[in-house]
Every structure is written in C-alpha cells, then in structure tokens.
C-alpha cells in the first residue's frame, strides 16, 4: 500500500472496454496504447481482463506506465469472496496489483450487507492488491456510509454515468463538495453525441467533431473520461479531445443539453440521487 501522496494522478482520458469481445478488447487496447492512452478500464464482468492484460504486455510499454482499473462484480460480494475474486482478476491480467480497484455496483437489491463487503474491500486494499480503491454507481447515502466504514483509507473516485445529456448534477456536486473525483462512464452517451447539432457547431471553431467536444466538456468539468470505441480512428480522435479548450460561453451552451437521459438503468441499480 502506498501513501496516497506518492501516487501519480489518474490519467484524465482512459480507454473503456465494456461490451468488447476478447479480440476487440485486445486490439482496441493495443491501438489505444499506441495512440498514447495510458489508462484502461476493464472489469470482472466484462470478461476481457485477460485480453487487456495481454495487450498491455504486447504493447512494449513498461506495464507500470499504464494505469489500469478493474472492478469487482457484485456477484462476488458474498462473505469471503472478494479477495479470491481479485486474485483471479490479477491472474487474468498477469499483474500482482492494479492501480485502481472499484466496486462495480452496490450490492444488487441489498443482497449483501454493505458493512461486510466494504470490510472485505478494505482487506484487499490493505493486502496491497490495489494502489487505490474506489466505487462505481454509488449514491450519496451509500458513499457517505462507505467513507465512514473505510476510515482512513481514501477513495480515489466514484465512476458514474455522465455525459452531456445526463450531467448527473446530484452526485457530481456531492462528490465535488467532498473532494472526490468523478470518472464519467458512457461519456459519449453511447455514440449519441455524434449527431448533436450544437456540439457539431461548437466543434467547428475548434476543428473538432461533436464527440470530441462532448469529451472536452466533461474534462472541463473536472471529470476523468473513459470513452470506448472499436475503431482505430475514433480511439485516436477521442484522445485528442484533451487538447480542446472550450470558452465559458461554449460551456454554458453545452450545459443546456441536459435532459436527464440515463442510459444505464435497470432493476439492479440503486435508487439514484435526485
Ligand atoms: N461502471 C459502470 O457501471 C460502467 C457502465 C458503462 C460503461 N462503463 C465504462 O465506460 C466505458 C465507456 O462507456 P460506454 O462504452 O458505455 O459508452 P461510450 O464510450 O459513451 O460510447 C461508446 C459508443 O460510442 C461509439 N463511439 C466511440 N467513439 C465515437 C466517436 N468518436 N464518434 C462517434 N461514435 C463513437 C462507439 O462505437 P464504435 O465502437 O463503433 O466506435 C460505441 O458504440 C465502457 O467501455 C466501460 O469501460 C462503466
């Protein structure tokens, strides 16, 4: 376990691998690393940890240069199960620890007690299997209780859905107030931003596409973003969004795109903050 002050900041643009087959996750991660990404997001539930690990090894980079996140799936929250599941993940990744380990979702329908699975999570961190720990899809009440339970172990991020059409103000504002970074997932609204006239219009002044403007907006908000693509040219252009500087007026116009469009929702989800 490292003192947090010695850890490098999380690279602001990562490559997402949800719903990517083995071959896509491998090839996409290789292209991403070649393009200059130094952050990859995978999860037990994506069933491609072994492919991401292989891509990092085959990239020729020192694996320590690549910030890697994986996530524990709620099916592994049963008592005594988190530590072995993380060891299985590390075996698949071919690593002895990850940079960031997240709880992918709160326990579905409270199937497992928060006190128990957070205590297991703390043990994994204390054992040095992850440099940082964080959560995903945690609401304000869950986050508050989790922070209490973790004591002096710091949380590195809350990974939540966030894009121009669902800027997720309640949890974003809360996390900002407690100094916790947001990692924005589905930052391209799963490709929907590509057809947006306002983003396209703003992009003209920056020689950029609507997708890049959508990512630049989230970066301006202070978020980490983890767009996914299976196409090499998009993997490259998505990373270049980091070079765009939007004006205050452009930011204000993009904020008006908010329409509460939550894309990842279902009966496994917690009751979202409003
Ligand atoms: N923690 C969680 O519960 C959770 C949930 C969802 C996602 N995530 C993470 O967040 C990552 C990103 O989210 P996501 O995959 O849901 O959605 P996303 O990144 O918002 O969108 C991906 C979709 O957009 C398309 N796309 C990518 N770049 C584009 C571009 N420049 N122009 C137009 N279309 C583009 C992709 O199609 P092509 O492949 O054809 O380019 C793909 O269909 C995931 O891969 C995963 O790592 C986490």
């Amino acid at each position: 376990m490292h003192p947090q002050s010695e850890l490098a900041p999380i690279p602001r643009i990562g490559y997402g691998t949800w719903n990517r087959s083995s071959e896509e996750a491998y090839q996409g991660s290789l292209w991403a690393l070649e393009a200059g990404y130094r952050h990859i997001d995978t999860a037990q539930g994506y069933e491609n940890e072994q492919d991401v690990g292989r891509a990092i090894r085959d990239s020729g980079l020192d694996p320590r240069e690549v910030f890697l996140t994986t996530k524990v799936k709620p099916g592994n929250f049963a008592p005594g199960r988190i530590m072995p599941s993380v060891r299985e993940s590390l075996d698949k990744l071919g690593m002895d620890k990850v940079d960031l380990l997240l709880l992918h979702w709160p326990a579905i329908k409270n199937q497992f007690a928060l006190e128990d699975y957070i205590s297991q999570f703390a043990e994994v961190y204390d054992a040095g299997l992850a440099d940082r720990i964080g959560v995903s899809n945690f609401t304000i009440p869950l986050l508050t209780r989790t922070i209490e339970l973790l004591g002096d172990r710091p949380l590195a991020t809350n990974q939540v859905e966030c894009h121009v059409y669902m800027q997720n103000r309640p949890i974003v504002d809360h996390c900002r107030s407690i100094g916790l970074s947001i990692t924005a997932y589905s930052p391209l609204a799963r490709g929907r931003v590509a057809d947006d006239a306002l983003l396209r219009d703003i992009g003209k002044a920056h020689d950029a596409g609507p997708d890049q403007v959508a990512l630049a907006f989230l970066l301006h908000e202070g978020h980490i973003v983890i767009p996914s693509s299976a196409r090499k040219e998009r993997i490259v252009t998505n990373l270049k969004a980091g070079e765009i500087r939007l004006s205050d007026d452009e930011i204000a116009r993009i904020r008006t795109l908010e329409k509460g469009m939550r894309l990842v929702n279902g009966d496994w989800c917690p009751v979202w903050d409003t």
Side-chain angles (χ1 to χ4, degrees):
M1 187 183 11
H2 289 290
Q4 294 290 306
S5 57
E6 287 178 17
L7 295 173
I10 303 176
R12 301 283 308 283
I13 306 183
Y15 176 66
T17 63
W18 171 72
N19 211 20
R20 299 295 174 204
S21 66
S22 287
E23 185 45 36
E24 285 173 337
Y26 174 73
Q27 185 58 76
S29 298
L30 264 185
W31 282 331
L33 294 170
E34 189 186 308
Y37 289 73
R38 290 296 178 266
H39 172 176
I40 302 185
D41 182 87
T42 182
Q44 293 175 346
Y46 301 169
E47 297 184 356
N48 56 26
E49 289 172 309
Q50 62 279 19
D51 311 294
V52 169
R54 191 160 56 88
I56 293 173
R57 280 193 300 284
D58 290 357
S59 70
L61 291 165
D62 180 338
R64 284 173 300 189
E65 285 178 48
V66 183
F67 186 97
L68 181 67
T69 304
T70 196
K71 317 186 191 80
V72 185
K73 61 181 178 187
N76 284 332
F77 289 1
R81 185 70 199 112
I82 294 187
M83 179 86 80
S85 86
V86 174
R87 291 200 190 281
E88 282 163 32
S89 287
L90 293 172
D91 277 352
K92 288 180 184 162
L93 290 162
M95 299 183 181
D96 56 8
K97 64 177 179 175
V98 285
D99 297 285
L100 176 61
L101 183 70
L102 304 180
L103 294 177
H104 203 151
W105 288 89
I108 297 167
K109 299 182 199 292
N110 295 317
Q111 188 191 4
F112 303 112
L114 185 75
E115 287 70 15
D116 179 74
Y117 67 82
I118 295 297
S119 144
Q120 292 189 62
F121 196 43
E123 277 175 38
V124 170
Y125 177 64
D126 293 348
L129 303 190
D131 277 344
R132 301 168 193 73
I133 46 173
V135 290
S136 179
N137 298 299
F138 271 44
T139 58
I140 297 171
L142 286 164
L143 204 50
T144 305
R145 185 72 186 119
T146 297
I147 290 168
E148 279 169 13
L149 291 166
L150 285 172
D152 59 7
R153 299 173 191 86
L155 278 182
T157 196
N158 187 13
Q159 185 180 122
V160 296
E161 179 176 342
C162 190
H163 44 75
V164 294
Y165 303 131
M166 209 271 295
Q167 296 166 30
N168 219 338
R169 290 287 155 208
I171 193 70
V172 164
D173 290 347
H174 176 75
C175 289
R176 192 169 282 151
S177 76
I178 60 169
L180 182 62
S181 74
I182 289 282
T183 302
Y185 78 62
S186 305
L188 298 165
R190 298 209 153 145
R192 287 167 178 78
V193 298
D195 300 323
D196 194 283
L198 174 65
L199 297 176
R200 185 169 294 282
D201 186 45
I202 290 174
K204 283 183 196 149
H206 298 273
D207 199 18
D211 34 280
Q212 293 173 304
V213 174
L215 295 174
F217 170 76
L218 298 172
L219 291 168
H220 178 277
E221 297 286 285
H223 306 330
I224 296 156
V225 297
I226 47 171
S228 177
S229 177
R231 301 199 207 176
K232 188 176 185 180
E233 66 281 8
R234 288 177 169 176
I235 291 173
V236 170
T237 54
N238 289 345
L239 183 65
K240 291 207 169 122
E243 295 164 14
I244 301 169
R245 297 288 169 268
L246 298 169
S247 69
D248 291 347
D249 174 61
E250 289 166 337
I251 291 292
R253 289 164 67 202
I254 297 170
R255 287 211 174 106
T256 67
L257 292 176
E258 167 69 52
K259 53 181 173 184
M261 192 175 81
R262 193 180 280 282
L263 300 170
V264 180
N265 212 359
D267 61 4
W268 70 91
C269 297
V271 179
W272 299 115
D273 302 300
T274 49

